[in-house]
Amino acid sequence: MTMGESSSGGHTEGCRTLDVDEAVLNTKITLCTVHECSESYTDELPSPVPELESAARAAHAHGPTSRSETQGWTRRPRHGKMPDEREIAPDRVSALEKAFRGFADRGADAVVLPSVGLTFDLIGEAYDFYNLYSWEAGFGIRYGKSRNNVKGTRSMQELLCVCAGKPKQQNTTSSRCQCPTLVRLLRTDDQGWFICEYRGTHNHRLLNTCAEKLHFPSHRHIDKYTRDLVAQLRANNVNLSKVYSIIGTFFGRLENVPFTKRCLRTLCGEISQEQADDDVKKTMEMFSELKAKDSEFTYQVRVDDESRIRTLIWTNGRSKLQYHHFGDVVTFDTTYKTNLYDMPFGLFVGVNNHFQSVLYAGVLMRDETVESFEWVFREFVRLMGGKKPITILTDQARAMEIAISTVLPEATHRWCKWHVLRKAKESLGTHYSKKSNFRTDFHNLVDEMLTVEEFETGWEEIVERYGLASNTFLIQAYEVRNKWAKPYFSGKFCAKQTSMQRSESANHMLKSYVPPACPMNVFVKQYGKLQYDREQEEGFQEKRTRLGGAVIKSNLPIERHASKVYMRAMFEMFGRVLFVAGSYEVEEIEPKRKYVASHINPDAMKYWYKSRFAIDVHDDCSYFTCECGRFEHMGMVCCHILKVMIFLRIRTIPSRHILKRWTVDARDILPDHIKHYQKDMGPPEASTFRHSAMYITALELVHMGDSNPDSFECVMTGLCELKSKAASLCGVKDGKSMLEKSKEASASMTASLDSRQSRLSTKKTTVVTSHRTGHDCSGDGSFVEGGGTGLVAEDNAEVSSTPTAGEVILPPERRLKRGQPSTARDKPPYETTGKRSRFYSICRGKGHKSTTCPDRGDTPVKPRKEAQCSNCGITGHRKTSCSKQLFSPFAAVADMTG
């Protein structure tokens, strides 16, 4: 095909480049004929020269010939293999720069004008040049046909109008109308590109406003830096409108943004699709990165028969350490489902010594069955080193309750008060409005009552006063009051928690990090950000305690002692308890044995409020008990005990009333064999000369070895040699060591150690070692462990089979809900109502119709009643075709008046 050969032999002849003669060999003239269309909208084009046009037509009629036969025609050069881009020359002026420089001389409206002969370094430069012209003219462009030579190098490229071509089907919204406008590019000898053919005729209307032109795909330009910004903002759960507004501030105002919000929505969809591709692989790679940074990071994956993820649980070293210190009370909630697979996400949450929420582990579950919950609780305890919580708070899910009773039989299980009473508003109606007295009395009853007696008395009085004795909601809540009501928590340590508010608040914080319908790898990444946020808050409280001062309000000796023992947040809580203690006065019943704390103004309280509390004193004022049970519930003395301590002029809080988890030494916990070195255990009792001599010498060695690297190496080498020599000699015990004497002195410690040794000796353990990295999976009920070697009790161990070659873990099946993804809290299983069961008249069974009932026998089917006309009562026709005249009351009235 020659350089001037036409690509369409129909209505329009192509633009041809001719050499006029030898003197003007480099002069190029464009010949264009306008498409003959009565409804076309054409640009102003230069009129063709008649002589050159006739010569071009004659040359085209004779076909491609040699230069000697036909003057002015040359055969298009054939190029071999060449790069797609021409080398940059500093003295070469680009086509865009030429257009800017010649704009003033041309006097045209458009700054950029394509013409035959313009050269470019690469196709992208030509595309951008033509796209600038299309923006000014009011249309969009796209890539068209292209051709490669025998060497595989692209030698021709067409740039078309977006309206070029035919629609794929008739009666469609497509904008394609066979627009003939195009720019054809060919290769130059110096590996560049030039315009060999240009058509500027359009057969459609051109757009004028920027709002219209921005919707062309070629004008919705989003550069790579803006794409990266959008990806970062979307990864941090910034919604679409805010992302567009933020980008508008970078461009000065929204009108200057070079793309529309619709285009941004498309880009966000592409980003989400990229994140969802290879989700499991990305998640496992992220786990590997976390394992490389934190050697204590572990995870467990449970898969089904199809190797799809069924349950996933993970935790890190920081969370394990927090659980080791504060894992006595745990809350667990699974009502958060903001992920791509609609899997319930469970959070194990606790409270630290600053009374802050701490995250222990995260769980993704595909189903909420008894088997799944048993696996989750068993693996959680195993990941945390075998330590079981004392108290666990959950919602009312029956499957969770059964699993806890099986896996954690010794733990105290309580229901969340908020979950039990969350339907009070819709169940009680106007009684629960903001201005009603019932709501105030009800919350005072639920939140302030301390004893079972006053709770039950107050409940009966409120129900009777407001006429709600037959209310179903209140009846059901009262029947299970021992599971959620605050007075029934008395004597059970819950760290002042009666609801899963900490889990709910953690879920609420997670919503600000995790976007709706996000894949698993993004979910794990954003969960790590939430953990870092909690660590920052904990660091602030640590700094506040270590460096900040404590504000003493009452200037009592016992308050000054509390300021040195408790963390700042807990000391402020102690100050509030001390303030309430000022409302009580003490009555001595039996000196040093029994006291009563009475409220100074009991008449101002409800009659069911308890105003007198009995306090018993034990062991010569070293331990106090109050009938309110606040100390056993929270671990801090109540206002009644505190008032008695002040009455007895006690200057410091007894050690038995200082719970270590609230103190500054809460993290000072050592193993049993060196527990006597803890700060709260006091100085070690060196009852033998051997222990004191070795202890002093060891401290001197530590001091010398810490001087420089050489002394450190020398001391460490000597200590290692001594340790290996002493290991063979310390097997024989003479009963005079400090550790053995401390065991004899402490009966409780001896009992705990004996039970521990007996459990270790009688219970076999199975070592599960994971040597594989990547995607390990097994059959139904199996798990894949990440993080090395772990100990699993044999009776609770799950067998992990070796996967075959090429076997990988698959993501769970996606469960798409109707409507847009949201971060709304999901309903727990016990709140969802299933379809109503249908019972059939013959057998009163389910799952079949009466015509297919197995007990039907030969019972004949009742004949169907034949339809009758509602006008005449005769069968065989309808009211609309009845021959009897329809009765009309208006017609009857008209006859009577007529």
Side-chain angles (χ1 to χ4, degrees), residues 21 33 72 160 197 201 220 253 273 309 349 354 403 417 464 483 496 503 544 561 570 579 605 627 663 737 796 820:
D21 53 16
T33 59
L160 308 177
E197 183 178 354
T201 304
R220 295 181 299 192
R253 55 179 184 170
Q273 185 61 39
I309 292 180
V349 183
H354 302 287
K417 177 178 63 178
E464 183 179 354
K483 280 286 189 177
K496 202 184 176 182
S503 295
R544 182 169 169 240
H561 177 249
M570 301 309 299
F579 175 80
M605 305 167 61
E627 59 179 325
T663 65
S737 65
N796 293 332
Q820 292 290 333

PDB file of all heavy atoms in Angstrom, residues 21 33 72 160 197 201 220 253 273 309 349 354 403 417 464 483 496 503 544 561 570 579 605 627 663 737 796 820:
ATOM      1  N   ASP A  21       7.349  19.142  -7.660  1.00  0.00           N
ATOM      2  CA  ASP A  21       8.403  18.946  -8.642  1.00  0.00           C
ATOM      3  C   ASP A  21       9.722  18.837  -7.896  1.00  0.00           C
ATOM      4  O   ASP A  21       9.753  18.839  -6.683  1.00  0.00           O
ATOM      5  CB  ASP A  21       8.419  20.083  -9.691  1.00  0.00           C
ATOM      6  CG  ASP A  21       8.478  21.457  -9.027  1.00  0.00           C
ATOM      7  OD1 ASP A  21       8.810  21.516  -7.818  1.00  0.00           O
ATOM      8  OD2 ASP A  21       8.179  22.460  -9.680  1.00  0.00           O
ATOM      9  N   THR A  33     -11.291  16.436   0.316  1.00  0.00           N
ATOM     10  CA  THR A  33     -12.647  16.702  -0.173  1.00  0.00           C
ATOM     11  C   THR A  33     -13.614  16.463   0.961  1.00  0.00           C
ATOM     12  O   THR A  33     -13.443  15.543   1.739  1.00  0.00           O
ATOM     13  CB  THR A  33     -12.987  15.768  -1.352  1.00  0.00           C
ATOM     14  OG1 THR A  33     -12.871  14.442  -0.912  1.00  0.00           O
ATOM     15  CG2 THR A  33     -12.049  16.012  -2.515  1.00  0.00           C
ATOM     16  N   GLY A  72       6.504  13.038  -9.033  1.00  0.00           N
ATOM     17  CA  GLY A  72       5.812  13.457  -7.829  1.00  0.00           C
ATOM     18  C   GLY A  72       5.413  12.323  -6.907  1.00  0.00           C
ATOM     19  O   GLY A  72       4.981  12.580  -5.793  1.00  0.00           O
ATOM     20  N   LEU A 160      -8.796   7.834  15.867  1.00  0.00           N
ATOM     21  CA  LEU A 160     -10.145   8.063  15.385  1.00  0.00           C
ATOM     22  C   LEU A 160     -10.936   8.913  16.357  1.00  0.00           C
ATOM     23  O   LEU A 160     -10.575   9.065  17.528  1.00  0.00           O
ATOM     24  CB  LEU A 160     -10.872   6.722  15.188  1.00  0.00           C
ATOM     25  CG  LEU A 160     -10.172   5.651  14.358  1.00  0.00           C
ATOM     26  CD1 LEU A 160     -11.000   4.386  14.352  1.00  0.00           C
ATOM     27  CD2 LEU A 160      -9.914   6.135  12.944  1.00  0.00           C
ATOM     28  N   GLU A 197      -1.884  11.234   6.840  1.00  0.00           N
ATOM     29  CA  GLU A 197      -3.244  11.488   6.368  1.00  0.00           C
ATOM     30  C   GLU A 197      -4.052  12.079   7.514  1.00  0.00           C
ATOM     31  O   GLU A 197      -3.961  11.624   8.655  1.00  0.00           O
ATOM     32  CB  GLU A 197      -3.895  10.182   5.893  1.00  0.00           C
ATOM     33  CG  GLU A 197      -5.291  10.377   5.327  1.00  0.00           C
ATOM     34  CD  GLU A 197      -5.896   9.080   4.822  1.00  0.00           C
ATOM     35  OE1 GLU A 197      -5.177   8.070   4.814  1.00  0.00           O
ATOM     36  OE2 GLU A 197      -7.086   9.086   4.446  1.00  0.00           O
ATOM     37  N   THR A 201     -13.310  16.160   8.982  1.00  0.00           N
ATOM     38  CA  THR A 201     -14.756  16.289   8.819  1.00  0.00           C
ATOM     39  C   THR A 201     -15.490  15.437   9.853  1.00  0.00           C
ATOM     40  O   THR A 201     -15.140  14.284  10.060  1.00  0.00           O
ATOM     41  CB  THR A 201     -15.165  15.846   7.411  1.00  0.00           C
ATOM     42  OG1 THR A 201     -14.439  16.615   6.452  1.00  0.00           O
ATOM     43  CG2 THR A 201     -16.656  16.065   7.201  1.00  0.00           C
ATOM     44  N   ARG A 220     -10.699  12.253  30.232  1.00  0.00           N
ATOM     45  CA  ARG A 220     -10.743  11.931  31.658  1.00  0.00           C
ATOM     46  C   ARG A 220      -9.372  11.437  32.087  1.00  0.00           C
ATOM     47  O   ARG A 220      -9.174  10.267  32.393  1.00  0.00           O
ATOM     48  CB  ARG A 220     -11.817  10.887  31.936  1.00  0.00           C
ATOM     49  CG  ARG A 220     -13.212  11.382  31.653  1.00  0.00           C
ATOM     50  CD  ARG A 220     -14.253  10.353  31.961  1.00  0.00           C
ATOM     51  NE  ARG A 220     -14.104   9.137  31.155  1.00  0.00           N
ATOM     52  CZ  ARG A 220     -15.017   8.185  31.066  1.00  0.00           C
ATOM     53  NH1 ARG A 220     -16.145   8.306  31.744  1.00  0.00           N
ATOM     54  NH2 ARG A 220     -14.817   7.128  30.317  1.00  0.00           N
ATOM     55  N   ARG A 253      -9.694  24.312  42.794  1.00  0.00           N
ATOM     56  CA  ARG A 253     -11.131  24.185  42.967  1.00  0.00           C
ATOM     57  C   ARG A 253     -11.622  23.010  42.133  1.00  0.00           C
ATOM     58  O   ARG A 253     -10.899  22.512  41.257  1.00  0.00           O
ATOM     59  CB  ARG A 253     -11.861  25.471  42.576  1.00  0.00           C
ATOM     60  CG  ARG A 253     -11.561  25.945  41.166  1.00  0.00           C
ATOM     61  CD  ARG A 253     -12.344  27.198  40.858  1.00  0.00           C
ATOM     62  NE  ARG A 253     -12.153  27.617  39.471  1.00  0.00           N
ATOM     63  CZ  ARG A 253     -12.855  28.571  38.880  1.00  0.00           C
ATOM     64  NH1 ARG A 253     -13.797  29.205  39.570  1.00  0.00           N
ATOM     65  NH2 ARG A 253     -12.628  28.904  37.630  1.00  0.00           N
ATOM     66  N   GLN A 273     -10.859  -4.025  42.585  1.00  0.00           N
ATOM     67  CA  GLN A 273     -10.699  -5.299  41.892  1.00  0.00           C
ATOM     68  C   GLN A 273      -9.269  -5.789  41.975  1.00  0.00           C
ATOM     69  O   GLN A 273      -9.015  -6.995  42.151  1.00  0.00           O
ATOM     70  CB  GLN A 273     -11.122  -5.149  40.425  1.00  0.00           C
ATOM     71  CG  GLN A 273     -11.106  -6.440  39.638  1.00  0.00           C
ATOM     72  CD  GLN A 273     -12.062  -7.477  40.191  1.00  0.00           C
ATOM     73  OE1 GLN A 273     -13.169  -7.121  40.611  1.00  0.00           O
ATOM     74  NE2 GLN A 273     -11.671  -8.730  40.208  1.00  0.00           N
ATOM     75  N   ILE A 309     -11.152 -21.270  52.794  1.00  0.00           N
ATOM     76  CA  ILE A 309     -10.976 -20.817  54.171  1.00  0.00           C
ATOM     77  C   ILE A 309     -12.312 -20.849  54.899  1.00  0.00           C
ATOM     78  O   ILE A 309     -13.300 -20.286  54.436  1.00  0.00           O
ATOM     79  CB  ILE A 309     -10.382 -19.400  54.200  1.00  0.00           C
ATOM     80  CG1 ILE A 309      -8.947 -19.424  53.678  1.00  0.00           C
ATOM     81  CG2 ILE A 309     -10.411 -18.833  55.611  1.00  0.00           C
ATOM     82  CD1 ILE A 309      -8.277 -18.071  53.677  1.00  0.00           C
ATOM     83  N   VAL A 349     -11.290  -8.844  73.045  1.00  0.00           N
ATOM     84  CA  VAL A 349     -10.918  -7.542  73.608  1.00  0.00           C
ATOM     85  C   VAL A 349     -10.837  -7.667  75.121  1.00  0.00           C
ATOM     86  O   VAL A 349     -11.635  -8.389  75.744  1.00  0.00           O
ATOM     87  CB  VAL A 349     -11.932  -6.451  73.209  1.00  0.00           C
ATOM     88  CG1 VAL A 349     -11.502  -5.092  73.737  1.00  0.00           C
ATOM     89  CG2 VAL A 349     -12.088  -6.399  71.704  1.00  0.00           C
ATOM     90  N   HIS A 354      -4.565   0.733  82.432  1.00  0.00           N
ATOM     91  CA  HIS A 354      -5.032   2.112  82.258  1.00  0.00           C
ATOM     92  C   HIS A 354      -6.535   2.172  82.038  1.00  0.00           C
ATOM     93  O   HIS A 354      -7.061   3.239  81.717  1.00  0.00           O
ATOM     94  CB  HIS A 354      -4.330   2.760  81.062  1.00  0.00           C
ATOM     95  CG  HIS A 354      -2.842   2.769  81.173  1.00  0.00           C
ATOM     96  ND1 HIS A 354      -2.163   3.603  82.031  1.00  0.00           N
ATOM     97  CD2 HIS A 354      -1.895   2.030  80.533  1.00  0.00           C
ATOM     98  CE1 HIS A 354      -0.856   3.394  81.913  1.00  0.00           C
ATOM     99  NE2 HIS A 354      -0.674   2.443  81.018  1.00  0.00           N
ATOM    100  N   ALA A 403     -20.386 -23.687  73.183  1.00  0.00           N
ATOM    101  CA  ALA A 403     -18.946 -23.830  72.941  1.00  0.00           C
ATOM    102  C   ALA A 403     -18.134 -23.404  74.156  1.00  0.00           C
ATOM    103  O   ALA A 403     -17.133 -24.046  74.503  1.00  0.00           O
ATOM    104  CB  ALA A 403     -18.553 -23.004  71.713  1.00  0.00           C
ATOM    105  N   LYS A 417     -25.004  -6.755  78.731  1.00  0.00           N
ATOM    106  CA  LYS A 417     -26.215  -6.043  79.136  1.00  0.00           C
ATOM    107  C   LYS A 417     -26.794  -5.242  77.981  1.00  0.00           C
ATOM    108  O   LYS A 417     -28.022  -5.151  77.823  1.00  0.00           O
ATOM    109  CB  LYS A 417     -25.879  -5.130  80.309  1.00  0.00           C
ATOM    110  CG  LYS A 417     -27.027  -4.272  80.792  1.00  0.00           C
ATOM    111  CD  LYS A 417     -26.597  -3.441  81.987  1.00  0.00           C
ATOM    112  CE  LYS A 417     -25.509  -2.474  81.617  1.00  0.00           C
ATOM    113  NZ  LYS A 417     -25.095  -1.619  82.751  1.00  0.00           N
ATOM    114  N   GLU A 464     -44.875  -2.471  88.170  1.00  0.00           N
ATOM    115  CA  GLU A 464     -46.228  -2.259  88.668  1.00  0.00           C
ATOM    116  C   GLU A 464     -46.665  -0.809  88.479  1.00  0.00           C
ATOM    117  O   GLU A 464     -47.825  -0.533  88.155  1.00  0.00           O
ATOM    118  CB  GLU A 464     -46.288  -2.651  90.143  1.00  0.00           C
ATOM    119  CG  GLU A 464     -47.687  -2.531  90.754  1.00  0.00           C
ATOM    120  CD  GLU A 464     -47.698  -2.953  92.208  1.00  0.00           C
ATOM    121  OE1 GLU A 464     -46.637  -3.442  92.697  1.00  0.00           O
ATOM    122  OE2 GLU A 464     -48.752  -2.789  92.857  1.00  0.00           O
ATOM    123  N   LYS A 483     -27.935 -13.623  84.126  1.00  0.00           N
ATOM    124  CA  LYS A 483     -26.905 -13.657  83.091  1.00  0.00           C
ATOM    125  C   LYS A 483     -26.377 -12.276  82.725  1.00  0.00           C
ATOM    126  O   LYS A 483     -25.306 -12.152  82.134  1.00  0.00           O
ATOM    127  CB  LYS A 483     -27.461 -14.326  81.825  1.00  0.00           C
ATOM    128  CG  LYS A 483     -27.479 -15.838  81.848  1.00  0.00           C
ATOM    129  CD  LYS A 483     -26.082 -16.406  81.675  1.00  0.00           C
ATOM    130  CE  LYS A 483     -26.096 -17.902  81.478  1.00  0.00           C
ATOM    131  NZ  LYS A 483     -24.732 -18.428  81.247  1.00  0.00           N
ATOM    132  N   LYS A 496     -14.909  -4.472  86.141  1.00  0.00           N
ATOM    133  CA  LYS A 496     -15.938  -3.428  86.003  1.00  0.00           C
ATOM    134  C   LYS A 496     -16.593  -3.453  84.620  1.00  0.00           C
ATOM    135  O   LYS A 496     -17.006  -2.431  84.093  1.00  0.00           O
ATOM    136  CB  LYS A 496     -15.340  -2.042  86.273  1.00  0.00           C
ATOM    137  CG  LYS A 496     -16.387  -1.010  86.673  1.00  0.00           C
ATOM    138  CD  LYS A 496     -15.775   0.357  86.836  1.00  0.00           C
ATOM    139  CE  LYS A 496     -16.868   1.391  87.129  1.00  0.00           C
ATOM    140  NZ  LYS A 496     -16.305   2.746  87.253  1.00  0.00           N
ATOM    141  N   SER A 503     -15.857  -4.163  72.991  1.00  0.00           N
ATOM    142  CA  SER A 503     -15.866  -4.802  71.676  1.00  0.00           C
ATOM    143  C   SER A 503     -16.629  -3.963  70.664  1.00  0.00           C
ATOM    144  O   SER A 503     -16.221  -3.822  69.509  1.00  0.00           O
ATOM    145  CB  SER A 503     -16.485  -6.199  71.769  1.00  0.00           C
ATOM    146  OG  SER A 503     -15.683  -7.046  72.559  1.00  0.00           O
ATOM    147  N   ARG A 544       2.080   9.617  80.905  1.00  0.00           N
ATOM    148  CA  ARG A 544       1.356  10.421  81.886  1.00  0.00           C
ATOM    149  C   ARG A 544       1.585   9.903  83.303  1.00  0.00           C
ATOM    150  O   ARG A 544       1.673  10.684  84.254  1.00  0.00           O
ATOM    151  CB  ARG A 544      -0.129  10.381  81.533  1.00  0.00           C
ATOM    152  CG  ARG A 544      -1.029  11.205  82.424  1.00  0.00           C
ATOM    153  CD  ARG A 544      -2.411  11.297  81.807  1.00  0.00           C
ATOM    154  NE  ARG A 544      -3.351  11.860  82.764  1.00  0.00           N
ATOM    155  CZ  ARG A 544      -4.425  11.256  83.205  1.00  0.00           C
ATOM    156  NH1 ARG A 544      -4.709  10.036  82.769  1.00  0.00           N
ATOM    157  NH2 ARG A 544      -5.240  11.841  84.053  1.00  0.00           N
ATOM    158  N   HIS A 561      -1.063   7.472  99.229  1.00  0.00           N
ATOM    159  CA  HIS A 561      -0.550   6.126  98.962  1.00  0.00           C
ATOM    160  C   HIS A 561      -1.115   5.580  97.650  1.00  0.00           C
ATOM    161  O   HIS A 561      -0.399   4.940  96.871  1.00  0.00           O
ATOM    162  CB  HIS A 561      -0.921   5.199 100.124  1.00  0.00           C
ATOM    163  CG  HIS A 561      -0.490   3.780  99.902  1.00  0.00           C
ATOM    164  ND1 HIS A 561      -1.388   2.758  99.688  1.00  0.00           N
ATOM    165  CD2 HIS A 561       0.754   3.210  99.843  1.00  0.00           C
ATOM    166  CE1 HIS A 561      -0.746   1.628  99.511  1.00  0.00           C
ATOM    167  NE2 HIS A 561       0.567   1.868  99.611  1.00  0.00           N
ATOM    168  N   MET A 570      -6.469   4.968  86.879  1.00  0.00           N
ATOM    169  CA  MET A 570      -7.080   4.257  87.999  1.00  0.00           C
ATOM    170  C   MET A 570      -7.067   5.106  89.269  1.00  0.00           C
ATOM    171  O   MET A 570      -7.973   5.006  90.106  1.00  0.00           O
ATOM    172  CB  MET A 570      -6.360   2.939  88.241  1.00  0.00           C
ATOM    173  CG  MET A 570      -6.367   1.999  87.047  1.00  0.00           C
ATOM    174  SD  MET A 570      -8.014   1.737  86.365  1.00  0.00           S
ATOM    175  CE  MET A 570      -8.856   1.022  87.758  1.00  0.00           C
ATOM    176  N   PHE A 579     -14.571  10.436  96.734  1.00  0.00           N
ATOM    177  CA  PHE A 579     -15.554  11.525  96.819  1.00  0.00           C
ATOM    178  C   PHE A 579     -16.927  10.994  97.239  1.00  0.00           C
ATOM    179  O   PHE A 579     -17.621  11.593  98.062  1.00  0.00           O
ATOM    180  CB  PHE A 579     -15.641  12.233  95.466  1.00  0.00           C
ATOM    181  CG  PHE A 579     -16.703  13.283  95.396  1.00  0.00           C
ATOM    182  CD1 PHE A 579     -16.478  14.539  95.924  1.00  0.00           C
ATOM    183  CD2 PHE A 579     -17.934  13.024  94.809  1.00  0.00           C
ATOM    184  CE1 PHE A 579     -17.467  15.518  95.881  1.00  0.00           C
ATOM    185  CE2 PHE A 579     -18.928  13.991  94.752  1.00  0.00           C
ATOM    186  CZ  PHE A 579     -18.692  15.244  95.292  1.00  0.00           C
ATOM    187  N   MET A 605     -33.261   9.404  98.313  1.00  0.00           N
ATOM    188  CA  MET A 605     -33.104   8.269  97.420  1.00  0.00           C
ATOM    189  C   MET A 605     -34.427   7.534  97.268  1.00  0.00           C
ATOM    190  O   MET A 605     -35.346   7.696  98.061  1.00  0.00           O
ATOM    191  CB  MET A 605     -32.023   7.316  97.973  1.00  0.00           C
ATOM    192  CG  MET A 605     -30.695   7.992  98.240  1.00  0.00           C
ATOM    193  SD  MET A 605     -29.581   6.969  99.225  1.00  0.00           S
ATOM    194  CE  MET A 605     -29.381   5.562  98.152  1.00  0.00           C
ATOM    195  N   GLU A 627     -20.927  -6.011 101.580  1.00  0.00           N
ATOM    196  CA  GLU A 627     -22.008  -6.754 100.943  1.00  0.00           C
ATOM    197  C   GLU A 627     -22.315  -6.252  99.540  1.00  0.00           C
ATOM    198  O   GLU A 627     -23.032  -6.917  98.792  1.00  0.00           O
ATOM    199  CB  GLU A 627     -23.258  -6.689 101.800  1.00  0.00           C
ATOM    200  CG  GLU A 627     -23.785  -5.293 102.064  1.00  0.00           C
ATOM    201  CD  GLU A 627     -25.057  -5.325 102.908  1.00  0.00           C
ATOM    202  OE1 GLU A 627     -25.850  -6.267 102.722  1.00  0.00           O
ATOM    203  OE2 GLU A 627     -25.239  -4.423 103.750  1.00  0.00           O
ATOM    204  N   THR A 663      -2.000  -1.584  88.952  1.00  0.00           N
ATOM    205  CA  THR A 663      -0.876  -0.844  89.520  1.00  0.00           C
ATOM    206  C   THR A 663       0.179  -0.552  88.469  1.00  0.00           C
ATOM    207  O   THR A 663       0.107  -1.007  87.327  1.00  0.00           O
ATOM    208  CB  THR A 663      -0.258  -1.638  90.681  1.00  0.00           C
ATOM    209  OG1 THR A 663       0.304  -2.856  90.156  1.00  0.00           O
ATOM    210  CG2 THR A 663      -1.312  -1.982  91.723  1.00  0.00           C
ATOM    211  N   SER A 737      18.183 -24.979  99.612  1.00  0.00           N
ATOM    212  CA  SER A 737      18.206 -23.847  98.684  1.00  0.00           C
ATOM    213  C   SER A 737      17.059 -22.903  98.993  1.00  0.00           C
ATOM    214  O   SER A 737      16.058 -23.274  99.619  1.00  0.00           O
ATOM    215  CB  SER A 737      18.095 -24.332  97.237  1.00  0.00           C
ATOM    216  OG  SER A 737      16.833 -24.941  97.010  1.00  0.00           O
ATOM    217  N   ASN A 796      -7.150 -32.335  72.224  1.00  0.00           N
ATOM    218  CA  ASN A 796      -7.755 -31.245  71.474  1.00  0.00           C
ATOM    219  C   ASN A 796      -7.064 -31.023  70.146  1.00  0.00           C
ATOM    220  O   ASN A 796      -7.385 -30.090  69.432  1.00  0.00           O
ATOM    221  CB  ASN A 796      -7.705 -29.932  72.276  1.00  0.00           C
ATOM    222  CG  ASN A 796      -8.583 -29.987  73.498  1.00  0.00           C
ATOM    223  OD1 ASN A 796      -9.576 -30.704  73.506  1.00  0.00           O
ATOM    224  ND2 ASN A 796      -8.225 -29.241  74.524  1.00  0.00           N
ATOM    225  N   GLN A 820     -25.891  -1.360  48.180  1.00  0.00           N
ATOM    226  CA  GLN A 820     -24.500  -0.973  48.308  1.00  0.00           C
ATOM    227  C   GLN A 820     -23.896  -1.562  49.582  1.00  0.00           C
ATOM    228  O   GLN A 820     -24.596  -1.728  50.583  1.00  0.00           O
ATOM    229  CB  GLN A 820     -24.377   0.552  48.334  1.00  0.00           C
ATOM    230  CG  GLN A 820     -24.737   1.229  47.027  1.00  0.00           C
ATOM    231  CD  GLN A 820     -23.712   0.955  45.943  1.00  0.00           C
ATOM    232  OE1 GLN A 820     -22.542   0.706  46.226  1.00  0.00           O
ATOM    233  NE2 GLN A 820     -24.151   0.975  44.694  1.00  0.00           N
TER     234      GLN A 820
END
